[in-house]
Amino acid sequence: MDKEKATKLLEAYGKPTFKSGNNVISFSRQNEQDISSIEATTDKELIEEWKRLVWMNEIYGQVSLNDMQRINLLELEMDYRPDINDNDLTIWYDSELDKFNSNLDHL
């Protein structure tokens, strides 16, 4: 993974917090340990996690900012994996979306 891009990505999302009474609540964010964890995954694990998060976002629009940041880091890592084909992922996504929409048409 391009560490410089990954670090910029972490910085771009920031670390938003808000105060509630005497408590400071911070939103979860990815960090350097998460980057190392992503780099250590197999191609299959990387693709499965990416598919899960992307599909959850497509169908429910409910992934957190933390998950959006993770999707970005997963994609950054996938760019460096020669055995991961973007076209295959696009075909998968389009196929799943077509199946989903077809099922909606039958309701």
Side-chain angles (χ1 to χ4, degrees):
M1 182 182 304
D2 183 327
K3 293 288 190 178
E4 185 177 327
K5 286 183 180 179
T7 300
K8 286 181 181 179
L9 197 148
L10 292 178
E11 291 170 2
Y13 275 86
K15 295 182 181 184
T17 61
F18 64 94
K19 189 165 180 155
S20 177
N22 292 331
N23 299 315
V24 175
I25 299 170
S26 64
F27 293 96
S28 179
R29 289 290 182 272
Q30 301 292 296
N31 58 41
E32 292 294 330
Q33 290 175 322
D34 295 301
I35 291 172
S36 296
S37 170
I38 289 169
E39 290 176 320
T41 62
T42 66
D43 287 356
K44 182 179 179 185
E45 292 167 333
L46 191 65
I47 290 168
E48 287 174 358
E49 183 175 7
W50 178 85
K51 284 180 176 180
R52 180 183 59 78
L53 290 171
V54 166
W55 192 245
M56 191 167 38
N57 186 50
E58 175 64 36
I59 299 305
Y60 302 110
Q62 301 260 340
V63 295
S64 66
L65 288 175
N66 183 52
D67 288 338
M68 290 301 295
Q69 187 180 33
R70 187 154 184 97
I71 290 169
N72 292 155
L73 289 170
L74 292 170
E75 290 174 346
L76 189 60
E77 177 64 15
M78 290 190 309
D79 287 345
Y80 278 79
R81 305 271 181 114
D83 294 332
I84 296 179
N85 185 322
D86 287 346
N87 290 332
D88 291 343
L89 297 174
T90 300
I91 290 167
W92 167 83
Y93 179 83
D94 291 342
S95 173
E96 291 299 311
L97 190 57
D98 287 345
K99 285 190 272 186
F100 180 77
N101 288 331
S102 177
N103 287 334
L104 285 179
D105 291 342
H106 297 310
L107 294 177

